[in-house]
Each structure stands twice: as C-alpha cells, then as structure tokens.
Amino acid sequence: MNFMGSLQQLGRAYMLPMIVLPAAAIFSFLSQFPWDYFGLGQMSVYLAAASQSIFAYLPYIFAVGIALGITGNALASGISALVGLIIYAGVTEAANPLIEPTVLIGAVIGMIAGFGYERFKNLRLPEYIQFFGGPRFVPLFVSAVALLLSMAMIRLAPQIEWLLVELGKVVDSSGGFGVFLFGFVMRILVVFGLHHLVSHVFWFQIGGYRLDDGTMAFGDLPRFFAGDPTAGGYMAGLYPIMMFALPAIALAIIQEAREDLKPKIRKTFITAALSSFLTGVTEPVEFAFLFVAPYLYVVHALLSGLIMWVTYELGVRYGFSFSGGAIDFILNGHLATRGWLVIPIGIVTFFLYYFLFRWAIQRFRIPTPGREEGSQLDDWAGDIPYRAPLVLQAIGGKENVVHMEACITRLRLRVANDKLIDANALRNLGAAGVIRLGGGHVQVVFGTYSELIREAMAKSIQRDQKQVSFHSPVQGRMIPLADVPDPIFAGEMVGGGVAFVPERGELVSPVKGTVVHIYPTKHAIGIRTAEGLDVLLHIGIDSSKLGDKGCFQTYVEKDDQVEPGSLLIRFDLQQLRRESKSVATPMVITNSSDYVESWRYAPFKTVKKGQASVMSVVLKERNGGGVKP
C-alpha cells in the first residue's frame, strides 16, 4: 500500500468513532432543560452522566473505532483493540493511578490492532498450533504490544502529559495566525479526504485542562465539553463557513445556472446547502467547483482560514461534537463564549462569498453545474438500486474492486487498475468528482448518498447477476427511446434500448462482440455479443437514402471482432441533419425479449464517445446458467 493510500485509510478510520460524539452533545444539551417542572428531577443528572460517560470512555471508542475503520469492520481487530486498551489501563493503573488512557493512546492501540490485523490475518503457523494462526493471532499480538506500551508509558506518561500541555501553550501563543493556518490546511486536505488527520491532532490531543476530580482532558473538543473557557478556538470559526459560506456558494451557483436548468439545479443545491447548514457536510457544494476551478477552491481555503482567524480574535469560543452546522450550534450554545457573534460574522461571510462567487463564475466563465459541462450533482433519491450497478461498471467492474468502503460523502476504493475507471461516466452518473491518490486508491464523491450506493454495489456483487454494460456509441446526448421521432423505434417494435443525438460524425462499438451485419447503405450495423445479444445501431431516422450519396463510411467488415470504443462508421453529420428526418441514433437489442431480464439507464444527458455505463442489462437465466436475482 502506498503512503497516500495508508493516510486515506487512516483518515477514514478516524471518522467512525466521531459518529458517537453527537450523542454526548445531545445529552449535555437536554440536561439543561427544567426537568423539575415535569416532575423528573433526576433526569438532568442522568443525562449529564450519559454525556460525561461518552467522554470518559472516548479512548476506548477511538481504539475500537479506528481498528474497525482500518480493517473494514473486522471483528478480530475491534476486540483486539479493546483488549489492548484494557490491558494498558490495568497495568498503568496498578503502577500509577494518575495515568489514564487518553484518546492518543486509544488511537495508537487502534492503529496497532488495525494494521496488525492486515499484517497477520493470513498468518500460517505449524499445524499443531494453527488454531492461533490467522485472525486469532491478532489479539495475542496486540495484547503483547499493549503490555510493552503500558510498561513504557509508566515511565514516559508524565513527560508526555507535560509535552501535550506545552504544545497547547505553543499553539495558543501563535494566536489567530495558528488558527488561520489550521483552517487553510484543513480545507485543502478535504480534497484528499485527509482532513481528519490534522483536525484530530488539534481537537483531541494538543492542550490540557485539569478537571475538578484531578483528571485531565486533552484536545480542543474534550476541553470545551469539560468546561474549559479557553477551548473552542479551533472549532468556532468553522460555524460561519458551514452555516453561511457554503450555502452562499450554493445560491450563487443556482443564480448563475441557465434558466432551463434552474429548477433542477435549485433542487439539488438547496439540498446541498441545507446539508452544510444543518450538519456541516460541505463536499457536495465544494466539489461542484473544485474540479472546474481549482484556483477558486484555493481562494475558498484562504478565506476559510481568515474567517477562522477573525472569529478567534473576536474572542468566540464555540465547540461542536461532529461539525460546525446549525444542529451543533443549537446544542452547544450553552457552553460557548461570545457565541452570539457567530451570527453577525456569518452574515458578513454569506454576502462576501455570494458576491465573490457570482462575480468569479461570470468573469471567468466557470462551468459550474447548470451552465455547461461541469461537475455533476444529481438527485439519487429512489434511483440508487438502478444506477449503482452502472457505477460498478464505471469503476471497472467487480473484478477491479479490491476494497470498497464509504464515508459520509465519498466512496473510498482500492482497485486493481485505476486506468479502468471512467471518470466521465462516473460524473454522468452523479459523482461530483473523482480523486486518484495513486497505488489503486481512488475516491468518488457522491455526497451523502455514498454509503447507500456502496451498499447497493455490494448487493450487486453478491448477487453475481449476469450483466452486460454498454458504452456510448457517439459523442452527444443520450435520450429515451420513446423520444425518437419514429413509431417503430419509439414503440420498441425493433427492441428495447436507448438513443443518442450525435454531436460528431463518428460511431463506435458500445460492446465487445462480432459484427454480424452491415446494411448495404452503411447507415446501420449489427453486433452480436458473447452472451448472444443482437445489438442494432441505426444512424439517423429515414437515413438509408443517404447511403448512395457517400454520407457513411465503414471501418469494419462482417465477422470482425470489436471492442468498446472501436471505430465502426464515420458519417457526414451536417448532411444527415439536412437530408434525414432526424439525427437521433437508436441503440437497441433486437432480441431483448428473449435475453433481457431488466434494464438500467444512466441519466439522459450529455455523454462522451465510448463513455462507459450508459446502459446495463441483466440477463435472464437460461439453460440452468446464471444466477437468479
């Protein structure tokens, strides 16, 4: 595994334990209610205890969560991490009761358990002790390492505690400039999905605060919830970004969209804006302009750092349990210092971002969604089971998938060959962007539907249905077959399929197969796949008469073997427009009633020539072959 891939895996792992923190914030918020009025006087005590318990056991949560995150939820790694931290806590407490597990120690043991599992899960021992081989070796390995680590920490703990506190003082001494650098670097790392690594250091490790019972809370986030009035400086400035800046960008994109596309863009980006405003999930908006205007994203990162700096200098100290959205803003307001300033800062931020992005989109003609071919964000609701198999095909098929996971906004993949990934097809299927990290590690940003897409793809792999995926035979726009101005094709009398409105005069093969028929007029061609599908490609409507006028030139012959993207026919598009009824080019399966069980279509929009996964069919079970859905 390459270095970037390892960092991506670790960054993903940090997200799992973070999921439990909103529960602590909710319990803390509810504990402030006047429960005595309802005759439930003890409820405040119970809720406060529930919140405090989560923070008390945070090291254990991080140990188990990181181990599971690294290994894709391997139970052996999770139990190993838990046992390892229990051993650490028992040994250190026996030697010095003041030494307590910290989130840092929990993270270290979680990483040891996770990477230990990946290293030893296939370990083979001599037959007489093979019972302890494979995954069963991992708890033994982690237990031994945890014992050694705890023995070392008995000597080193005072120095490490001093170091963390002093690091906190150094960081505080940098003041607002340090907050600016943190904000800038964090936004840049969002691109690679590695922002959790830098935020974890500041939020859970640097800086210490001694509680009334003598225990220490380390990191900006635990210190904030423990009541440290100086904590929250590295979180407060994110509220104006999440709640105001990103919604302003979304509004600017909506306003700059073409009038005919505004209804769809409005729906998509209002959802994205609400996602950022309420929960702090920013990628659906950020990735809408990242790939088409990376320089604008750098400006966004600089502005984010500056806004965090200003918020810090104004004395705002505001924390959160998950991210700087309105939900956390409401839940944690009772612990904030000068929290009311977030609103006026946010309003100024909103107008700054709105006018800046509208000006930049107009001035530099940035192809944001709704203007031209830009990054695509689509409405996945109710469409995931149909489109996810096409996504699987666009990443090279199940044979190309080595490992697949999802975090909040993106699929995180390890593939055998990242050259097989069709980025255009993925964007056409709704991805906001595709990020290649090298070594087969790829991220595909689908927004908050990423986990649902992963589940649907996993089910598709498990069912092992016999499928045939089709590439686009032309460059242009894909349309439903029903929109073809010909009752024969529109009524599916020839067979089911789709059609295309070409923008260039080239027709390529959509599948791997054999050329079985070339019409004498050269305006149509038939291909038979290995599965027995007969695919007809028909250039234009009422276009056979142009064959005698030299409109079409073939580049294959009958019985030739073709691959997806192989050039079949060149044609004069301008002549076709002038002299035929329509340039619509149907792609139909003429024997679909015999072979096809179900159909899946990509969104009907612009496609590239040879683009993967514009259509997919599931084949019927025949003669005992295949697997029933």
Side-chain angles (χ1 to χ4, degrees), residues 471-592:
H471 296 239
S472 173
V474 299
Q475 177 163 318
R477 181 166 52 89
M478 188 169 82
I479 61 174
L481 205 57
D483 290 352
V484 175
D486 181 89
I488 303 297
F489 284 111
E492 299 189 0
M493 297 179 188
V494 180
V498 294
F500 301 85
V501 178
E503 294 177 353
R504 292 184 181 177
E506 288 186 338
L507 182 80
V508 300
S509 177
V511 289
K512 179 179 180 180
T514 304
V515 177
V516 293
H517 187 67
I518 301 176
Y519 284 72
T521 52
K522 302 179 182 180
H523 74 291
I525 188 169
I527 300 172
R528 180 169 295 154
T529 71
E531 297 81 8
L533 297 178
D534 287 332
V535 182
L536 171 66
L537 297 163
H538 192 285
I539 304 173
I541 303 300
D542 292 343
S543 54
S544 59
K545 59 186 179 182
L546 300 181
D548 297 331
K549 299 181 179 181
C551 183
F552 307 102
Q553 181 180 359
T554 58
Y555 287 80
V556 291
E557 297 179 357
K558 184 180 178 182
D559 297 327
D560 280 357
Q561 301 295 313
V562 293
E563 300 284 338
S566 298
L567 179 61
L568 302 176
I569 300 173
R570 281 202 172 104
F571 55 95
D572 188 330
L573 183 59
Q574 297 304 321
Q575 184 180 8
L576 188 68
R577 285 184 177 137
R578 289 194 309 268
E579 301 183 35
S580 67
K581 181 178 180 181
S582 170
V583 298
T585 300
M587 177 179 73
V588 298
I589 301 173
T590 58
N591 57 352
S592 56

Side-chain angles (χ1 to χ4, degrees), residues 105-123:
I105 294 299
V108 169
I109 291 179
M111 285 186 279
I112 292 170
F115 290 117
Y117 176 86
E118 294 295 330
R119 173 65 179 82
F120 298 115
K121 63 183 178 181
N122 297 317
L123 178 67

Side-chain angles (χ1 to χ4, degrees), residues 325-531:
I327 294 174
D328 259 308
F329 182 77
I330 294 170
L331 290 177
N332 304 314
H334 62 287
L335 298 173
T337 301
R338 306 194 76 187
W340 62 272
L341 282 174
V342 167
I343 301 301
I345 295 172
I347 292 172
V348 173
T349 299
F350 179 89
F351 285 107
L352 171 64
Y353 266 79
Y354 175 73
F355 288 113
L356 171 64
F357 270 75
R358 286 207 68 177
W359 173 81
I361 292 170
Q362 294 174 5
R363 175 66 177 80
F364 301 107
R365 298 182 179 179
I366 299 172
T368 49
R371 288 172 61 82
E372 298 176 31
E373 285 252 23
S375 54
Q376 301 287 343
L377 287 175
D378 216 325
D379 183 9
W380 279 79
D383 201 20
I384 291 173
Y386 300 99
R387 219 182 299 179
L390 295 175
V391 174
L392 182 61
Q393 292 297 324
I395 62 176
K398 64 181 181 181
E399 297 81 7
N400 197 37
V401 178
V402 177
H403 188 73
M404 176 174 64
E405 289 187 359
C407 65
I408 295 173
T409 58
R410 62 190 83 191
L411 286 176
R412 296 174 182 260
L413 306 165
R414 184 151 55 94
V415 296
N417 184 359
D418 59 7
K419 292 182 180 179
L420 297 179
I421 291 177
D422 190 325
N424 284 327
L426 289 168
R427 280 191 283 269
N428 193 50
L429 289 165
V434 178
I435 304 166
R436 303 172 192 261
L437 298 175
H441 292 273
V442 179
Q443 297 177 0
V444 186
V445 182
F446 278 115
T448 51
Y449 289 112
S450 295
E451 177 59 30
L452 297 177
I453 297 166
R454 186 203 64 80
E455 291 179 1
M457 290 170 64
K459 289 178 181 177
S460 179
I461 291 173
Q462 291 169 0
R463 284 197 300 264
D464 196 26
Q465 295 173 323
K466 187 65 175 177
Q467 299 183 64
V468 179
S469 179
F470 288 75
H471 296 239
S472 173
V474 299
Q475 177 163 318
R477 181 166 52 89
M478 188 169 82
I479 61 174
L481 205 57
D483 290 352
V484 175
D486 181 89
I488 303 297
F489 284 111
E492 299 189 0
M493 297 179 188
V494 180
V498 294
F500 301 85
V501 178
E503 294 177 353
R504 292 184 181 177
E506 288 186 338
L507 182 80
V508 300
S509 177
V511 289
K512 179 179 180 180
T514 304
V515 177
V516 293
H517 187 67
I518 301 176
Y519 284 72
T521 52
K522 302 179 182 180
H523 74 291
I525 188 169
I527 300 172
R528 180 169 295 154
T529 71
E531 297 81 8

Side-chain angles (χ1 to χ4, degrees), residues 126-367:
E127 186 175 350
Y128 52 87
I129 57 171
Q130 179 55 33
F131 175 81
F132 296 105
R136 287 184 289 271
F137 180 77
V138 180
L140 301 178
F141 168 75
V142 176
S143 296
V145 174
L147 176 61
L148 296 175
L149 178 63
S150 58
M151 293 168 62
M153 286 299 295
I154 291 170
R155 293 181 176 274
L156 298 177
Q159 289 84 356
I160 292 177
E161 179 178 313
W162 174 85
L163 178 63
L164 291 175
V165 173
E166 290 303 310
L167 280 174
K169 293 179 181 178
V170 171
V171 168
D172 287 340
S173 68
S174 64
F177 183 70
V179 176
F180 161 77
L181 288 178
F182 168 76
F184 173 73
V185 171
M186 185 178 177
R187 291 258 66 78
I188 293 295
L189 290 179
V190 165
V191 176
F192 307 100
L194 302 177
H195 50 298
H196 307 301
L197 298 180
V198 67
S199 64
H200 180 272
V201 173
F202 286 87
W203 292 348
F204 292 101
Q205 296 177 21
I206 292 180
Y209 176 68
R210 191 170 298 280
L211 281 67
D212 294 338
D213 60 2
T215 59
M216 292 287 292
F218 292 99
D220 209 34
L221 193 150
R223 288 192 294 120
F224 175 80
F225 283 97
D228 184 354
T230 65
Y234 286 87
M235 295 182 283
L238 288 172
Y239 280 107
I241 305 300
M242 311 298 188
M243 293 171 58
F244 295 93
L246 272 301
I249 296 173
L251 180 60
I253 291 173
I254 292 170
Q255 297 285 37
E256 291 302 320
R258 295 196 328 240
E259 288 301 322
D260 58 322
L261 296 177
K262 266 189 181 179
K264 183 176 183 179
I265 295 299
R266 184 181 295 112
K267 179 182 178 182
T268 299
F269 278 89
I270 284 177
T271 300
L274 285 173
S275 178
S276 178
F277 178 77
L278 293 173
T279 67
V281 176
T282 63
E283 282 95 325
V285 176
E286 289 175 321
F287 279 79
F289 66 92
L290 168 63
F291 294 99
V292 294
Y295 53 87
L296 191 57
Y297 189 88
V298 174
V299 173
H300 164 54
L302 288 168
L303 283 175
S304 296
L306 287 171
I307 290 165
M308 291 187 69
W309 188 349
V310 170
T311 305
Y312 179 89
E313 294 294 351
L314 290 176
V316 181
R317 302 294 181 268
Y318 216 128
F320 47 73
S321 60
F322 177 70
S323 191
I327 294 174
D328 259 308
F329 182 77
I330 294 170
L331 290 177
N332 304 314
H334 62 287
L335 298 173
T337 301
R338 306 194 76 187
W340 62 272
L341 282 174
V342 167
I343 301 301
I345 295 172
I347 292 172
V348 173
T349 299
F350 179 89
F351 285 107
L352 171 64
Y353 266 79
Y354 175 73
F355 288 113
L356 171 64
F357 270 75
R358 286 207 68 177
W359 173 81
I361 292 170
Q362 294 174 5
R363 175 66 177 80
F364 301 107
R365 298 182 179 179
I366 299 172

